[in-house]
Amino acid sequence: MQISDGFELSVDRHVATLRINRPGKRNAMSVAMWRALPGVLAPLAGDPGVRVLVLTGAGGTFCSGADISEIAGLSAAGDDTGLTVVAERALAEFPKPVIAMIEGFCVGGGCQLALACDLRLAAEDARFGITPAKLGIVYPLSSTRRLVDLVGPSAAKLLLYSADLVDADRALRTGLVDEVLPATELSERVYGLARTMAGRSQLTLAATKEIVDGRAGEERLREWQKESREEVAEGVAAFLERRPPRFTWSP
């Protein structure tokens, strides 16, 4: 279902797929698409029928970055109020697990989007690049910090200094992606993992995301633990009775 210019959405068994759909431009993100993304994500965040989100691209390409012909419409000077950063932040703060399913090129702004996801699974022929040095752009602070957190300062500098494309194996070695699979097996693995996560305690997943992302302190942790009592009781009962748990918590 086309929900906005450049995006398609479908939902199956509690797993939503948001597809970047501009194949004629290798899914380059237009100014309108960057602006629309937070509004696309907002209703999914509050929808109890959506437990996991998969972000991918149409036509065998994840995203080739921001549309260079519209670069003047973006904040190109590292401003963390720019459209790309606002969209990236909306994706990073999405309260449910987000998996990037990466085929083909994942470059520039495409990497910004992929790194804002919780997990990144890639086809073995995927190619990655972070290319602001080719355009004289200063990469945003939040995007740079997220990259450094994933791959470390030295690998981040190499990617940013060179602006070269790297293959999926190198991306895996540096921590840029979590798994690399043959292209024919990628979708099955991604959706199998997504359905597994959709069947787990949604309270545990939501709390874990807040804690791992550094958005929950001790007080918030205690709130989560207090709220989890019914989930724990169901989980223990299901284990003892040798049946699948029937977790009922939803955000």
Side-chain angles (χ1 to χ4, degrees):
M1 176 178 66
Q2 189 85 9
I3 56 170
S4 175
D5 287 345
F7 295 105
E8 286 185 349
L9 175 68
S10 60
V11 181
D12 180 46
R13 287 181 283 179
H14 298 295
V15 177
T17 300
L18 182 61
R19 193 177 307 276
I20 305 167
N21 187 29
R22 205 182 178 208
K25 288 275 192 174
R26 287 187 172 177
N27 297 328
M29 292 279 290
S30 67
V31 167
M33 291 166 68
W34 287 111
R35 185 177 289 115
L37 184 56
V40 169
L41 294 171
L44 300 177
D47 184 348
V50 172
R51 298 180 179 177
V52 180
L53 175 65
V54 174
L55 179 67
T56 192
T61 291
F62 183 75
C63 175
S64 62
D67 189 332
I68 301 302
S69 68
E70 300 185 13
I71 202 70
L74 301 170
S75 178
D79 181 357
D80 272 27
T81 64
L83 287 177
T84 65
V85 176
V86 172
E88 176 189 355
R89 186 181 302 128
L91 188 58
E93 294 179 358
F94 190 77
K96 303 167 186 181
V98 184
I99 304 172
M101 183 168 69
I102 302 168
E103 300 173 286
F105 289 99
C106 179
V107 180
C111 269
Q112 276 184 266
L113 294 175
L115 296 183
C117 298
D118 297 299
L119 300 171
R120 286 153 296 284
L121 277 66
E124 59 188 5
D125 59 353
R127 294 294 180 268
F128 301 82
I130 302 177
T131 54
K134 288 186 176 180
L135 299 170
I137 293 171
V138 177
Y139 212 46
L141 286 173
S142 58
S143 307
T144 303
R145 287 171 181 156
R146 186 170 288 114
L147 174 65
V148 172
D149 286 345
L150 280 172
V151 306
S154 183
K157 287 176 181 177
L158 183 56
L159 287 165
L160 288 163
Y161 288 173
S162 70
D164 287 340
L165 296 184
V166 300
D167 62 23
D169 284 341
R170 184 168 166 190
L172 181 63
R173 290 197 304 272
T174 61
L176 198 63
V177 300
D178 300 293
E179 293 184 15
V180 172
L181 300 104
T184 55
E185 299 175 14
L186 179 63
S187 180
E188 181 179 359
R189 169 59 178 154
V190 167
Y191 285 100
L193 178 60
R195 286 191 291 271
T196 293
M197 293 192 295
R200 303 305 191 202
S201 166
Q202 297 306 293
L203 182 147
T204 299
L205 270 58
T208 298
K209 183 162 184 172
E210 276 194 18
I211 293 164
V212 172
D213 289 351
R215 293 184 282 115
E218 289 294 332
E219 183 176 349
R220 180 61 172 152
L221 174 61
R222 287 192 291 271
E223 290 174 358
W224 276 119
Q225 290 173 334
K226 182 179 179 180
E227 193 170 357
S228 72
R229 290 171 184 168
E230 290 186 8
E231 293 280 279
V232 172
E234 168 58 19
V236 170
F239 177 81
L240 294 175
E241 296 167 14
R242 298 183 180 182
R243 60 170 174 80
R246 295 184 289 270
F247 295 119
T248 58
W249 184 90
S250 63

